């Protein structure tokens, strides 16, 4: 990969004016994202300035860490909306579900908060994939959901087994790129994998995964990937989630 950035575009300049973000952590005090309503207001304002037109924010649901529920997320969302300026109210709430030991019980016993229709955002531990990963994905599909795997390029355990990404797709997973992976925010190796996945057209969607001001600032960075044109194509695919 060519990491020479002299002629590379700045990430925020590639964001289309109608961009719909499907991955962020903007609800106040509910996970490791916005700490309070002032954080939420600031993040929304900056995202709007960059061209984000609508947002599906996705608080973590991780057993033993972020014990969010449909009710707690909906309650926080409903309390947040009136606090925002009118121009920043084009958003709704879903969730980002950790595929842990509790996840199968959860989706088999209650309705999940989805991005749209049956599309549900899921993630894995950064340490290792679940032992029963493919069983979880199979059961999730049988339950009627379409899994969208968040930031697959950030799972380091797949970097030396690139064919695992195709196995995930074959198992019914759609892949979601974290936009900051393209500027090296998570390191050059993550950017390299993101570039390869873009080149092979293996991503279905993208997301900001914005948590805080540092993430916002990093959108001012230049791309270090080579596939800027493919990235632009991918950004437009989020129109699928319009609401």
């Amino acid at each position: 990969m060519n990491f020479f950035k002299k002629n590379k575009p700045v990430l925020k300049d590639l964001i289309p004016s109608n961009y719909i973000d499907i991955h962020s952590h903007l609800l106040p005090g509910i996970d490791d994202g916005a700490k309070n309503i002032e954080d939420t207001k600031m993040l929304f304002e900056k995202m709007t300035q960059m061209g984000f037109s609508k947002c599906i924010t996705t608080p973590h649901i991780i057993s033993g860490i972020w014990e969010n529920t449909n009710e707690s997320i909906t309650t926080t969302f409903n309390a947040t909306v009136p606090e925002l300026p009118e121009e920043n109210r084009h958003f709704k709430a879903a969730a980002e579900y950790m595929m842990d030991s509790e996840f199968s019980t959860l989706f088999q016993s209650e309705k999940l908060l989805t991005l749209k229709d049956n599309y549900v955002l899921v993630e894995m531990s950064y340490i290792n994939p679940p032992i029963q990963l493919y069983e979880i994905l199979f059961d999730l599909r049988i339950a009627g959901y379409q899994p969208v795997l968040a930031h697959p390029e950030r799972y380091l355990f797949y970097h030396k087994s690139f064919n695992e990404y195709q196995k995930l797709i074959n198992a019914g997973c759609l892949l979601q790129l974290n936009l900051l992976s393209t500027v090296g925010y998570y390191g050059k190796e993550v950017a390299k994998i993101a570039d390869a996945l873009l080149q092979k057209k293996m991503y279905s969607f993208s997301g900001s995964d914005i948590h805080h001001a540092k993430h916002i600032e990093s959108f001012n960075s230049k791309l270090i990937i080579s596939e800027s044109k493919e990235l632009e194509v991918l950004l437009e695919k989020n129109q699928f989630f319009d609401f």
Side-chain angles (χ1 to χ4, degrees):
M1 185 191 304
N2 178 13
F3 288 101
F4 188 58
K5 296 186 287 184
K6 183 177 180 180
N7 298 316
K8 298 287 188 180
V10 171
L11 176 57
K12 72 175 183 180
D13 292 341
L14 298 182
I15 304 297
S17 60
N18 60 349
Y19 185 65
I20 299 168
D21 190 28
I22 65 168
H23 185 177
S24 63
H25 299 269
L26 307 178
L27 292 180
I30 202 168
D31 64 1
D32 57 345
K35 292 182 172 58
N36 50 50
I37 191 62
E38 294 308 316
D39 275 357
T40 299
K41 290 179 179 178
M42 177 274 294
L43 293 172
F44 269 113
E45 179 181 2
K46 298 295 186 182
M47 291 168 75
T48 299
Q49 290 172 1
M50 287 193 293
F52 291 65
S53 65
K54 296 179 182 179
C55 174
I56 304 169
T57 196
T58 50
H60 290 290
I61 295 182
I62 305 175
S63 58
I65 301 176
W66 302 113
E67 301 275 8
N68 287 311
T69 63
N70 288 7
E71 183 179 3
S72 67
I73 291 172
T74 301
T75 298
T76 304
F77 172 78
N78 289 337
T80 300
V81 172
E83 297 291 324
L84 299 176
E86 194 72 36
E87 64 270 19
N88 295 144
R89 294 184 184 180
H90 304 296
F91 84 111
K92 64 180 186 177
E96 180 183 12
Y97 294 90
M98 176 64 72
M99 292 189 288
D100 55 22
S101 59
E102 305 297 324
F103 182 53
S104 292
T105 300
L106 182 65
F107 70 71
Q108 290 172 352
S109 62
E110 62 180 74
K111 187 176 180 180
L112 301 181
L113 287 174
T114 61
L115 300 169
K116 175 183 178 178
D117 301 331
N118 65 334
Y119 287 73
V120 61
L121 188 66
V122 295
E123 66 174 333
M124 297 185 241
S125 164
Y126 292 116
I127 300 172
N128 52 257
I131 295 174
Q132 297 177 311
L133 172 61
Y134 289 98
E135 182 178 332
I136 292 171
L137 291 174
F138 178 81
D139 289 344
L140 186 61
R141 298 273 287 171
I142 291 296
Y145 292 101
Q146 171 59 66
V148 178
L149 180 62
H151 41 64
E153 70 279 357
R154 294 181 62 192
Y155 302 121
L156 303 184
F157 43 79
Y158 286 150
H159 285 195
K160 293 183 179 179
S161 303
F162 194 84
N163 63 327
E164 291 295 325
Y165 292 114
Q166 188 60 54
K167 285 179 63 177
L168 287 166
I169 293 171
N170 292 346
C173 249
L174 302 177
L175 306 186
Q176 175 253 301
L177 167 71
N178 261 25
L179 292 176
L180 291 181
S181 295
T182 68
V183 298
Y185 184 87
Y186 309 105
K188 289 185 177 181
E189 284 303 311
V190 170
K192 182 177 179 180
I193 295 298
D195 205 26
L197 290 169
L198 279 166
Q199 183 180 32
K200 294 179 181 295
K201 297 179 171 56
M202 295 173 78
Y203 287 115
S204 293
F205 306 111
S206 62
S208 72
D209 202 3
I210 286 174
H211 287 64
H212 44 66
K214 188 176 179 182
H215 285 161
I216 293 285
E217 292 165 6
S218 295
F219 274 79
N220 292 309
S221 302
K222 288 185 177 183
L223 299 188
I224 66 170
I225 62 168
S226 61
E227 293 294 329
S228 59
K229 294 300 182 184
E230 189 58 40
L231 175 59
E232 291 181 70
V233 172
L234 183 66
L235 288 165
E236 293 291 346
K237 291 183 179 180
N238 278 32
Q239 281 299 305
F240 172 79
F241 293 98
D242 198 7
F243 59 92

